Amino acid sequence: MKARAIVYEHIPFLAQLEEAYNMYKHRLPCHYVHLRHLVVVLYLACCGQVCCYFFFMRHASAYTDTAMNAVAFAANDRGMMNDNLEPSSFRILHIVTALSEKNDGSGHTIAGEDRLSELIVPVLQHCVESMLTKPGWEVDVYLVLGWSLKPERRKIIEDALPQRVGLEIWDDATPISYDVNDGRRDDQLSEILRALARQHRFVIKDKLDEYDFFSVWEDDMLISSDHIGNFLELTQLFEKLAKDAPKISDPNAYHGELSETQLKRLIPGFIRVEALLDLDQETFKAAGIDVDKNVSIDPSFCCGIPPNLKLLSSPPNEPEAEHLMMWETGIKGLGVREIYPFGWFALQNGPKNLRRTEEIASYWSGGDGAFGDEKRPRGGDPKMFGQQGGYMLTRDQVIYLQEEACKGGFLPPYGYPFVDDGLHMVNVEFWSGGYQHFGGNGAVVQGCNMQRVISLEPEKFSKQLLYHTANNKQKAIVKARQSNVNTVFRQLQTVKKAAIAKISR
């Protein structure tokens, strides 16, 4: 041990290598177990020269890539990076939950359509390939399925994914229990279909230490490297701001500094959109707020797809800004505020029943009477909540939700206030749509009260739009709930100007 310490004093790289091996040996392929033996060194002193370093370099070529990556992992965990090393990899676990292998005709779909091969797999392939365009990003896929997957169907998935992408599948994942209906518990076991959306939480708990980032979505959501990159950039800005933030701030102000507690609750949000299949279809426009025609969204970030990406709905490859619709929220469900010094953001509905000092104020779009006597929608208003069809979180954000933000916990097992380990009175929107993450405290289930924000910069706003590739909501949702995305964005610019004018008075 003494000799090793002396060697490590002269050759710090070897110390880093052994530390990295010990930390990450469980993530190395089994044929790299002999890497440990390469770190056994002899301290040979001759005229004050250390020779064992050359011995190591001569014999370590077969392990160079893995060793360098392991050292980079360790250095990154310590907030350090050797100038001679490549940046550490960024490991993403992309989790997709799918209930059905084929469409059943509900929700304006066609019964018998092959949902797996004509929607789920093409979308999954596009998502993964986009993520892999970023240097240093590594992606694995985990599928949570509500049916038994046959070997030949599994091969379709395997063939679509790049070779370096890991794949795990949990099929027949729907939990079974004695359900409660009309206040009475059934006396026979049945599948709790709504709770299939809960199962990904077990995956996150099991994989928490193995990945840096978790991308968790329903099977028809198109996620790109632009979405993740923008999410990470905003998250890092908020985390940096929180380190030097004051302990308290004015809960009534929609501009200026936020407190440390408020900043920890900020998280980049998303709005689901669809590309109009009927270009003559009209969408609802809230009266009373002018549009700023000097700005526009860029639909290529969310909804531009290559010609070879064939989907069941046959959507346009390059939809125009005026041809995107939203239905999960609208201008009436949004407010604006300044997050100094990063500019202005739209705040989405969700949080409620917070302590006054924890509330994050925003200037409501109807604050100047644009909607007459209408009051601002409550946090849990289902027409304005803006459920996302999934979410993304860093490992640190998962830990914050589990240990601080979420009453009852974010990861299983689920005790009080949950009932039956979360199987009772909790739906898909709670687990995967965001009602737990971004909702407030309720009578039965408990929200985490994270505050979603969307940048009002055109490019960033566009990277916070998510494409619902099934494109069936535009047929199923009443027209009064459909809004033109570009119109809402331009109206938000007008609301921002009104908020700034009110500050200067």
Side-chain angles (χ1 to χ4, degrees):
M1 295 299 293
K2 183 177 180 180
R4 180 182 296 171
I6 295 172
V7 170
Y8 287 174
E9 180 180 354
H10 286 268
I11 311 177
F13 173 78
L14 293 178
Q16 287 184 319
L17 181 60
E18 181 164 25
E19 178 185 358
Y21 174 82
N22 290 330
M23 291 176 64
Y24 297 98
K25 58 187 176 184
H26 64 287
R27 288 161 61 174
L28 297 175
C30 59
H31 58 278
Y32 286 119
V33 294
H34 300 297
L35 180 65
R36 177 65 177 79
H37 300 297
L38 292 178
V39 188
V40 177
V41 295
L42 299 174
Y43 182 70
L44 303 177
C46 179
C47 298
Q49 303 297 312
V50 179
C51 302
C52 61
Y53 172 76
F54 300 101
F55 171 84
F56 173 84
M57 292 304 295
R58 181 178 178 182
H59 293 83
S61 59
Y63 305 93
T64 299
D65 291 342
T66 300
M68 289 295 188
N69 285 338
V71 174
F73 272 128
N76 188 53
D77 281 355
R78 294 192 304 270
M80 301 165 56
M81 185 61 67
N82 189 313
D83 290 340
N84 296 321
L85 300 178
E86 293 294 326
S88 64
S89 61
F90 180 67
R91 290 180 56 82
I92 299 172
L93 184 60
H94 186 61
I95 306 173
V96 174
T97 299
L99 175 62
S100 303
E101 185 175 13
K102 295 182 181 296
N103 283 334
D104 61 4
S106 62
H108 289 265
T109 62
I110 298 175
E113 285 178 324
D114 191 344
R115 187 177 182 89
L116 176 67
S117 63
E118 297 183 60
L119 179 69
I120 299 174
V121 170
V123 170
L124 176 65
Q125 181 181 16
H126 184 78
C127 292
V128 170
E129 289 178 349
S130 175
M131 295 177 198
L132 290 175
T133 61
K134 292 291 186 180
W137 286 18
E138 298 178 4
V139 182
D140 290 331
V141 169
Y142 201 113
L143 300 182
V144 180
L145 307 180
W147 72 91
S148 179
L149 187 67
K150 295 180 180 180
E152 61 269 24
R153 302 288 277 174
R154 180 188 177 108
K155 191 173 187 305
I156 295 175
I157 303 170
E158 293 174 339
D159 291 345
L161 296 176
Q163 287 188 349
R164 58 183 171 136
V165 173
L167 173 65
E168 290 187 67
I169 298 176
W170 179 7
D171 61 354
D172 278 331
T174 306
I176 299 175
S177 184
Y178 297 97
D179 203 1
V180 176
N181 292 290
D182 298 324
R184 299 181 61 183
R185 186 175 294 278
D186 296 339
D187 59 4
Q188 293 185 348
L189 286 169
S190 63
E191 289 187 328
I192 314 298
L193 295 179
R194 64 179 179 273
L196 177 66
R198 180 198 66 167
Q199 305 300 69
H200 73 267
R201 302 290 182 89
F202 293 90
V203 177
I204 293 178
K205 182 173 182 177
D206 184 52
K207 305 289 188 181
L208 186 59
D209 293 333
E210 299 180 33
Y211 294 90
D212 306 295
F213 195 81
F214 297 88
S215 172
V216 185
W217 302 97
E218 297 173 7
D219 61 10
D220 51 13
M221 300 304 299
L222 198 69
I223 311 302
S224 72
S225 58
D226 287 320
H227 291 121
I228 296 176
N230 186 67
F231 181 94
L232 289 171
E233 180 183 344
L234 291 175
T235 295
Q236 290 165 2
L237 289 176
F238 299 151
E239 289 175 348
K240 182 179 179 181
L241 200 58
K243 292 180 180 179
D244 300 317
K247 295 299 181 183
I248 60 173
S249 67
D250 183 355
N252 298 310
Y254 55 83
H255 58 94
E257 290 186 316
L258 289 169
S259 70
E260 178 185 5
T261 301
Q262 292 171 320
L263 284 164
K264 288 172 70 174
R265 287 184 38 244
L266 287 187
I267 190 168
F270 295 96
I271 296 176
R272 293 206 294 174
V273 304
E274 289 187 356
L276 292 178
L277 303 179
D278 178 3
L279 300 186
D280 295 325
Q281 177 176 326
E282 294 186 4
T283 50
F284 180 74
K285 174 184 178 297
I289 301 179
D290 294 334
V291 298
D292 183 349
K293 294 185 178 180
N294 295 315
V295 294
S296 178
I297 62 170
D298 183 349
S300 66
F301 288 114
C302 69
C303 310
I305 57 176
N308 62 344
L309 180 56
K310 303 298 183 183
L311 299 173
L312 287 174
S313 62
S314 300
N317 297 116
E318 298 178 358
E320 297 180 6
E322 295 300 326
H323 295 154
L324 297 186
M325 59 81 69
M326 56 197 285
W327 70 97
E328 298 285 8
T329 189
I331 188 65
K332 294 181 181 181
L334 301 169
V336 301
R337 80 159 288 133
E338 178 194 37
I339 301 179
Y340 180 82
F342 303 131
W344 285 80
F345 291 76
L347 271 63
Q348 295 173 267
N349 253 18
K352 62 180 181 179
N353 299 331
L354 284 163
R355 289 193 296 267
R356 187 74 179 115
T357 55
E358 294 179 337
E359 293 179 359
I360 301 175
S362 65
Y363 184 83
W364 180 44
S365 56
D368 283 342
F371 311 130
D373 295 332
E374 287 189 53
K375 294 182 178 180
R376 186 169 189 171
R378 290 274 294 165
D381 185 332
K383 295 180 180 179
M384 291 296 164
F385 180 83
Q387 79 103 344
Q388 299 181 167
Y391 61 91
M392 55 181 68
L393 295 169
T394 66
R395 184 197 297 118
D396 287 344
Q397 287 170 328
V398 173
I399 294 172
Y400 174 71
L401 291 177
Q402 171 68 11
E403 297 183 354
E404 297 186 46
C406 304
K407 292 183 179 180
F410 184 74
L411 301 175
Y414 298 103
Y416 179 82
F418 292 92
V419 179
D420 290 346
D421 201 22
L423 295 180
H424 178 59
M425 290 292 290
V426 185
N427 59 14
V428 174
E429 285 73 21
F430 178 86
W431 295 114
S432 66
Y435 266 89
Q436 184 190 22
H437 314 60
F438 318 123
N441 300 326
V444 178
V445 295
Q446 302 292 300
C448 308
N449 272 316
M450 298 296 286
Q451 176 61 67
R452 289 171 293 172
V453 296
I454 299 180
S455 173
L456 292 184
E457 296 179 18
E459 181 175 318
K460 290 187 177 299
F461 186 95
S462 302
K463 293 177 181 178
Q464 292 182 257
L465 302 175
L466 296 177
Y467 192 10
H468 182 243
T469 61
N471 280 310
N472 61 329
K473 298 299 183 182
Q474 57 195 278
K475 302 175 184 177
I477 300 296
V478 297
K479 298 302 182 213
R481 283 189 58 191
Q482 298 184 29
S483 298
N484 183 286
V485 178
N486 205 34
T487 296
V488 171
F489 175 65
R490 288 171 162 178
Q491 287 178 320
L492 283 170
Q493 303 298 323
T494 300
V495 176
K496 180 186 76 172
K497 292 176 182 178
I500 294 173
K502 194 168 183 178
I503 294 172
S504 61
R505 288 177 191 158

